Amino acid sequence: MGIFSGKAKSSSSSISGNKSKVRIVVAGDCGTGKSSLIATAASEKFAQHVPPVLTPTRLFADFYPDRVPFTVIDTPSSSENQNALTQELKTADAVVLTYSCDQSHTLDRLSTFWLPELRQLQVKVPVVVVGCKLDAVDDTTVRHEQLLSLMQEFQEIETCTECSARNLFQVSKVFYYANVAVLFPTSPLFDKKKQTLKPKFERALKRIFILCDHDRDNTLSDTEFNDLQIKCFNVPLPPSEVVDIKRVVQEKYPEGVNERGLTLRGFLILSELLLQKGSHELWTVLRKFGYDNDIKLRDDLLHVSFKRAPDQSVELTNEAVKFLKEIFCSFDHDSDGALQVAELDDLFSTAPESPWIEAPYKDAAESTTTGGISLDGFLSKWSLMTLLEPNKSLANLIYIGYVGDPASAFHITKARRLNSDKKQSERKVFQCFVFGPSGAGKSALLNSFLRRPFPEIYTPTTNARYAANVVYQDGGTKKTLILREIPEDGARQLVSSKESLGPCDVAIFVHDICNELSWKRATELLVQVASHGEESGFEVPCLIVAAKDDLNMYPLAIQDSTRVSFEMGLETAIPMSVKLGDLNDVFCRIVSAAQKPHLGVPKLEYGRNYKRYYKIFCRPFKFISVGAAVAVVGLAASRVYTARKITSS
């Protein structure tokens, strides 16, 4: 049978996930009919209807799902065999609990002993409750009500049925239900107590609906509906059955059907109705669309090899960016140019969860005044996720509806060392490591990049933090810049790894211009990083940033900064004040430095060790004799700096 009706033709793809065999353990009080149930099912008299359960070799695909063999295990009921019973239950794929229809106390024992015992043993498998000896009783009303109450109390019960081994009545269904409970469990899909779809399953159904809605009119037309049926079951539905299905849905929920076809809500209602009737074929639909037993897309669909050198990065292709722009516009329901929180939640409602609810993505992009995210911010977050976790980026692209070849969505950049040789980087996304001592202004710099207000209270950063945004350059070109703040105590750990500077396109060193100790520590970090780059082969362009330019600088600040810049072949320090909003075009200058990786690399004389640099840069500057050339550069820089201060004031 197909998802809605009609017989399905056999499919070559498995619909039972990774299960290759099923182990069914039968348990219950002594005398409830366990052994008779198993013996009848295994007897030659009944073999025309069911496969032999004790030696699972013959299979009847028309009766048992997905050609998966199964074994049935009888268990002892006596207390002296408790250990053997426990061991069998703990290795079961499904448990059949029996009671005798003519002995009411055996039914009571299910709720007072057997089901609590399974929970005590942490046997978390589907349970099928079976009443044996149905031929010995007439009335079923009382037991029916008791079974309904039992199913409400114990959600692990998949189904209840009654049978008669003597009359060969419904014995086959017992093991059919047990197999289905393992291969097509209801509990991950449906909350029996609330009679609603589980959230994860609803997200999957919504994605399937969107993928089948080819004309993007938010409904499944009869043609689209039939395409779904054929994809999953290889057989179309007669037009009359499609009409009947829509009628049933509309009776349950009038808005589930409109003049164009079945709405999303109608599709979800139909799924609820099927699960309430015990249909297992929604698993077929899930697996046809790539979902595994945990209702997540299979790993083989979400994995692409991103093998790359340390100084190569992963970027989104133009095709992927185009798709994301279309998705952004389609979910911007109020057309305000931003995705509000509810709209963003709706966009990721087909994924297991939003990928941006936690660090490092949660606060890594600019927010609008209404708390939404602009297109630039949206694309910047995708660029950040692609840079840090390309497989996660791929998975979420597919979850929100990307149907192209996964490899077409990503581009691995050239090694940065090759870019240095060509003296020009072709990258569209640059990562900048932000070094500096505590209190230097690193966090304020990241906040200003995201256009957030200047914080009056200083909060030290303890973990690496990211900020991603678009930088517009002269000529109308734009690049995505990702700032990674490195806490002061994290710098030593970072340079302990040979390849740690590989992902870094440019490094900046921030110091507090009014604090001489801050400058000294920033210089130490600069020398440390430059030395590590030279030793590891992953040299990076570096810039010095003099923060808090609104405060009085410490004596000799300009001369110290100029001397170090001159000796290491770097640009003079970039003064800026986040508090005053005077950033001196720092982000464009960072991008420019990253685009020309052959420039701005600190010049360390080959063989000069770190200790010597440490002594030169960190001893009291009043004892250092600066050369004439440095003095000239320092004087020139001083004049430029003074002129800038006068102009800005």
Side-chain angles (χ1 to χ4, degrees), residues 46-333:
F46 204 65
Q48 60 180 331
H49 298 295
V50 297
V53 292
L54 298 180
T55 55
T57 55
R58 284 188 294 166
L59 298 167
F60 294 82
D62 289 339
F63 198 85
Y64 281 86
D66 207 26
R67 299 180 178 271
V68 177
F70 65 96
T71 303
V72 178
I73 309 297
D74 197 358
T75 58
S77 303
S78 57
S79 57
E80 55 267 24
N81 293 309
Q82 183 66 35
N83 289 338
L85 171 63
T86 298
Q87 186 61 34
E88 295 292 354
L89 290 173
K90 285 188 172 182
T91 57
D93 293 312
V95 174
V96 172
L97 289 181
T98 61
Y99 66 92
S100 179
C101 293
D102 62 344
Q103 300 178 54
S104 59
H105 70 277
T106 61
L107 178 55
D108 294 335
R109 282 265 297 168
L110 296 183
S111 60
T112 60
F113 174 75
W114 285 104
L115 288 162
E117 177 72 4
L118 292 179
R119 289 184 174 181
Q120 176 68 25
L121 296 174
Q122 295 187 337
V123 177
K124 299 178 181 180
V125 298
V127 175
V128 176
V129 172
V130 179
C132 301
K133 306 181 184 180
L134 183 61
D135 57 283
V137 296
D138 296 322
D139 184 31
T140 62
T141 305
V142 175
R143 291 194 309 281
H144 179 71
E145 293 177 355
Q146 192 171 352
L147 289 170
L148 286 176
S149 175
L150 193 68
M151 291 185 72
Q152 289 182 346
E153 182 179 357
F154 296 93
Q155 297 292 305
E156 55 266 42
I157 298 176
E158 283 287 325
T159 189
C160 299
T161 188
E162 294 186 335
C163 66
S164 170
R166 173 176 293 179
N167 294 341
L168 305 181
F169 178 69
Q170 294 206 131
V171 173
S172 61
K173 285 191 175 181
V174 171
F175 299 104
Y176 175 78
Y177 290 147
N179 272 278
V180 167
V182 175
L183 303 178
F184 311 98
T186 303
S187 56
L189 312 182
F190 193 64
D191 189 321
K192 295 178 184 177
K193 193 170 185 179
K194 297 179 180 178
Q195 291 290 291
T196 58
L197 302 176
K198 292 285 186 71
K200 191 184 293 187
F201 179 47
E202 186 170 320
R203 285 173 174 262
L205 284 176
K206 184 174 181 181
R207 175 176 174 268
I208 292 169
F209 180 92
I210 291 172
L211 292 177
C212 294
D213 179 20
H214 303 303
D215 57 9
R216 297 291 188 266
D217 66 346
N218 298 317
T219 59
L220 292 185
S221 65
D222 291 357
T223 300
E224 291 169 336
F225 190 71
N226 237 324
D227 288 344
L228 169 61
Q229 169 77 16
I230 294 169
K231 176 181 175 67
C232 296
F233 304 101
N234 301 328
V235 63
L237 288 172
S240 59
E241 293 194 19
V242 177
V243 172
D244 288 341
I245 290 166
K246 292 193 292 186
R247 176 182 52 78
V248 170
V249 171
Q250 199 161 28
E251 288 175 355
K252 176 73 174 179
Y253 186 75
E255 289 79 13
V257 178
N258 61 28
E259 66 279 1
R260 298 189 303 275
L262 196 67
T263 66
L264 172 61
R265 186 58 191 154
F267 185 65
L268 299 178
I269 290 293
L270 175 59
S271 302
E272 283 185 4
L273 294 173
L274 289 168
L275 289 170
Q276 288 170 356
K277 292 171 62 177
S279 171
H280 64 266
E281 289 166 339
L282 285 167
W283 274 110
T284 307
V285 179
L286 284 172
R287 285 160 182 157
K288 281 290 185 179
F289 280 87
Y291 288 90
D292 60 17
N293 292 346
D294 296 321
I295 320 181
K296 292 183 177 180
L297 290 176
R298 298 193 315 269
D299 289 342
D300 61 293
L301 299 177
L302 303 179
H303 184 77
V304 171
S305 176
F306 291 105
K307 188 176 181 179
R308 58 197 184 278
D311 59 344
Q312 289 181 287
S313 61
V314 183
E315 295 181 357
L316 294 167
T317 61
N318 291 336
E319 183 178 339
V321 171
K322 179 182 177 182
F323 167 77
L324 289 172
K325 288 180 177 179
E326 291 173 351
I327 284 290
F328 181 93
C329 293
S330 65
F331 281 89
D332 182 14
H333 303 307

Side-chain angles (χ1 to χ4, degrees), residues 348-375:
F348 285 117
S349 64
T350 54
E353 62 182 8
S354 170
W356 298 341
I357 57 177
E358 295 180 350
Y361 309 109
K362 184 178 180 180
D363 297 315
E366 180 183 358
S367 299
T368 65
T369 55
T370 57
I373 186 170
S374 67
L375 178 59

